[in-house]
Amino acid sequence: MASDKDTIIKVTNAAVRFNMASERIDNLKEYFVKLIKRELMFQEFMALKDINFEVKRGEAWGLIGTNGSGKSTLLKLICGILKPYRGTVEVRGSIAPLIELGAGFDGELTATENIYLNGAVLGYSKEFMDAHYDEIVEFAELKDFMNMPIKNYSSGMAARLGFAIATIVQPEILIVDEVLAVGDAAFQEKCQERMHHMLENGTTLLFVSHTMATVRQLCDHAIWLNKGNVVMQGEAESVCDAYMESLNLPENA
């Protein structure tokens, strides 16, 4: 319940609606002409349908389901990036959203410059970033590439730097959306260790992954989405087992 002090995230009857153009338009001029004349037809698409989801402080939830099931949309709803078409979303705590690592980087700036730029966006002072600069570089394992423009980084290198910046503080809520998939196995393990440490110190985790073994390892709860609907939620092992069975895949995949 909303009055429960242990509840940190509460989603009640939430729906998200997108409009998709239902006709093909070949050029921008035609699009704007139809838009001005109100002749542009849209097809309604419900990305999430009446979601009810409650997370207690300190819990770790895995969000699972096939591509297009609504996992990332639910995370963006909780982060405040999207607003519900109907229903409510209540969040009590600071969020570190690792949804698109490196999305806020300026490709023309060096990695060092981007560390300070990202720090400013996150609300950190230059003095704070000075104090944590070496820690960020060491964790990202990019010491020899800090004067290189980010546009020359691989997606894996950018993700390393983004994760290192986003996790220099202990957030109340950590939201991770498949960002570990771009790193090598050793760095993925390193990120998981840092997340484990945060969980041990009280951080609440929302974690999207297609790898059930990682969900089982990190999460104590899970929610299974399919085409915008909740299929099942509860204890992580049970939800992962049911999901894997539905796909006819081994339960330890």
Side-chain angles (χ1 to χ4, degrees):
M1 300 296 293
S3 60
D4 188 340
K5 293 181 180 179
D6 289 333
T7 297
I8 195 167
I9 298 167
K10 185 177 177 66
V11 180
T12 307
N13 298 324
V16 172
R17 182 184 71 171
F18 296 133
N19 285 328
M20 301 185 298
S22 58
E23 55 186 314
R24 176 169 177 164
I25 298 175
D26 294 325
N27 59 70
L28 198 58
K29 179 180 177 182
E30 183 182 356
Y31 175 87
F32 281 110
V33 169
K34 284 184 175 288
L35 185 64
I36 292 169
K37 291 183 176 181
R38 298 185 177 180
E39 296 175 353
L40 196 61
M41 303 298 293
F42 290 99
Q43 180 179 351
E44 184 180 273
F45 170 66
M46 298 301 294
L48 292 176
K49 306 167 189 173
D50 300 316
I51 302 297
N52 289 283
F53 178 49
E54 186 171 336
V55 178
K56 302 289 186 181
R57 192 174 300 274
E59 290 181 341
W61 280 77
L63 279 67
I64 63 176
T66 56
N67 289 332
S69 60
K71 304 183 300 295
S72 295
T73 302
L74 179 56
L75 291 188
K76 290 176 181 177
L77 190 66
I78 292 169
C79 288
I81 297 170
L82 296 174
K83 298 298 182 184
Y85 170 61
R86 62 173 176 264
T88 60
V89 179
E90 302 170 58
V91 178
R92 299 175 174 181
S94 61
I95 297 178
L98 279 63
I99 294 178
E100 295 178 45
L101 287 184
F105 288 153
D106 185 325
E108 299 301 322
L109 299 180
T110 66
T112 292
E113 291 167 332
N114 270 289
I115 285 178
Y116 286 92
L117 174 63
N118 261 241
V121 170
L122 292 170
Y124 303 141
S125 67
K126 182 180 183 300
E127 291 73 22
F128 179 88
M129 297 308 294
D130 284 341
H132 290 84
Y133 178 84
D134 289 340
E135 175 192 341
I136 292 169
V137 174
E138 181 181 354
F139 186 89
E141 301 173 4
L142 294 169
K143 183 178 179 181
D144 295 332
F145 305 96
M146 296 311 297
N147 293 319
M148 179 187 292
I150 287 288
K151 67 181 180 182
N152 295 330
Y153 268 30
S154 67
S155 59
M157 292 168 71
R160 284 176 180 233
L161 190 61
F163 187 93
I165 296 170
T167 58
I168 54 174
V169 296
Q170 174 90 25
E172 291 178 90
I173 304 168
L174 178 64
I175 292 182
V176 183
D177 186 3
E178 281 291 2
V179 294
L180 303 183
V182 297
D184 56 60
F187 190 74
Q188 288 180 30
E189 182 65 29
K190 191 175 181 179
C191 292
Q192 288 179 34
E193 287 176 7
R194 176 165 282 194
M195 286 191 289
H196 271 301
H197 177 74
M198 289 181 167
L199 288 169
E200 288 170 358
N201 286 277
T203 290
T204 302
L205 174 68
L206 298 183
F207 179 69
V208 168
S209 179
H210 289 287
T211 307
M212 293 304 101
T214 307
V215 173
R216 295 173 198 269
Q217 182 182 1
L218 281 174
C219 304
D220 43 39
H221 295 76
I223 180 169
W224 169 14
L225 296 172
N226 182 49
K227 296 181 180 179
N229 294 294
V230 175
V231 179
M232 182 180 179
Q233 59 179 303
E235 191 266 336
E237 285 287 345
S238 299
V239 177
C240 288
D241 287 349
Y243 174 63
M244 298 307 288
E245 185 177 346
S246 76
L247 299 177
N248 295 316
L249 293 174
E251 291 183 359
N252 62 350

